[in-house]
């Protein structure tokens, strides 16, 4: 899960980080938003929209995008990535996740990340996925580390289409600076932000 300001390069960097994968990007479409999803899509990118059937779609198993429709192809991909302007909790609410148990189940499924803009823009992890066996978690962490390294190399290349004087980027005089500085201090597991491999 990637939270960041509008027009900050979240989707651009995600697509660049996964450019060697077969990706599908969903950014709207109502009830038919997953109609183009195929079993061979390795990555599903939910771009600033909600996701139905979220508990199943983000689990460690082969799934179907729709619950009650017949003849829907199964999805077998390994990357389920959400980009949003909303916080993780607000996005889950928008997707219909309402109980504490379901929230905790969703939190265990995601690496929750946020874009920060001090120095150069970069993605930092706020919490890690804890779902599955130790081996599955180690494999997922390796996938995440490669993804975030490539993402952070790409996001600096993004050029906003429109630059606003009030772009939401905090500076040291902003009332929000303490929040951002504290969040950066609490993200020790973020890998080195150097150049991406390959």
């Amino acid at each position: 899960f990637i939270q960041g300001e509008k027009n900050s390069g979240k989707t651009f960097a995600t697509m660049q980080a996964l450019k060697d994968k077969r990706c599908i990007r969903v950014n709207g479409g109502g009830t038919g938003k997953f109609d183009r999803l195929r079993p061979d899509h390795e990555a599903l990118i939910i771009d600033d929209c909600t996701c139905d059937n979220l508990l199943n779609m983000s689990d460690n198993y082969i799934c179907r995008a729709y619950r009650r429709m017949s003849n829907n192809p199964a999805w077998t991909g390994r990357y389920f990535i959400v980009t949003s302007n909303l916080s993780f909790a607000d996005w889950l609410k928008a997707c219909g996740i309402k109980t504490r148990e379901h929230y905790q189940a969703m939190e265990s499924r995601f690496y929750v990340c946020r874009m920060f803009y001090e120095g150069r823009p970069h993605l930092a992890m706020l919490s890690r996925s804890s779902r599955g066996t130790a081996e599955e978690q180690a494999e997922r962490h390796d996938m995440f580390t490669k993804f975030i390294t490539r993402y952070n190399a790409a996001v600096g290349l993004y050029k906003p289409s429109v630059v606003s004087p009030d772009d939401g980027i905090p500076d040291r005089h902003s009332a929000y600076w303490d929040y951002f500085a504290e969040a950066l201090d609490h993200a020790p597991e973020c890998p080195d932000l150097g150049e991406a491999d390959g």
Side-chain angles (χ1 to χ4, degrees):
F1 181 85
I2 300 170
Q3 180 188 2
E5 301 294 332
K6 183 177 180 180
N7 204 20
S8 60
K10 302 182 299 294
T11 303
F12 168 83
T14 297
M15 298 295 285
Q16 289 297 308
L18 297 172
K19 64 184 177 184
D20 59 340
K21 311 290 181 202
R22 286 182 303 279
C23 299
I24 182 171
R25 177 178 160 218
V26 175
N27 60 348
T31 57
K33 68 179 75 174
F34 297 116
D35 287 352
R36 296 181 301 114
L37 183 63
R38 299 188 319 256
D40 65 329
H41 281 124
E42 297 170 276
L44 172 59
I45 301 165
I46 308 291
D47 182 15
D48 275 321
C49 64
T50 58
C51 178
D52 304 322
N53 200 14
L54 187 57
L55 285 164
N56 282 342
M57 291 292 290
S58 60
D59 212 342
N60 295 346
Y61 305 102
I62 294 170
C63 66
R64 296 184 189 275
Y66 304 115
R67 289 181 181 155
R68 295 190 175 97
M69 293 180 68
S70 61
N71 299 322
N72 292 305
W75 180 57
T76 61
R78 306 194 64 211
Y79 293 85
F80 184 93
I81 298 175
V82 177
T83 64
S84 182
N85 302 334
L86 301 174
S87 70
F88 185 59
D90 287 341
W91 182 74
L92 290 180
K93 285 180 196 170
C95 291
I97 302 296
K98 300 190 185 318
T99 68
R100 177 184 294 271
E101 293 77 16
H102 283 168
Y103 178 88
Q104 290 170 339
M106 293 311 307
E107 191 173 39
S108 75
R109 286 162 160 80
F110 282 89
Y111 279 84
V112 178
C113 304
R114 184 178 174 99
M115 287 288 299
F116 291 94
Y117 307 95
E118 174 67 6
R120 62 179 176 168
H122 65 279
L123 187 64
M125 177 176 61
L126 304 179
S127 68
R128 70 168 52 218
S129 168
S130 60
R131 193 160 182 85
T133 66
E135 292 80 14
E136 288 171 333
Q137 289 183 49
E139 181 182 4
R140 193 176 305 114
H141 184 69
D142 183 57
M143 290 168 61
F144 172 76
T145 300
K146 289 175 183 171
F147 171 81
I148 196 172
T149 301
R150 291 178 176 179
Y151 181 102
N152 282 327
V155 76
L157 304 175
Y158 179 72
K159 303 294 183 215
S161 54
V162 176
V163 178
S164 165
D166 180 18
D167 57 9
I169 300 173
D171 60 29
R172 295 186 185 277
H173 305 290
S174 165
Y176 299 103
W177 174 253
D178 290 340
Y179 168 79
F180 280 85
E182 182 180 329
L184 282 172
D185 290 342
H186 289 58
E189 296 174 295
C190 180
D192 177 48
L193 304 178
E195 294 300 314
D197 318 336

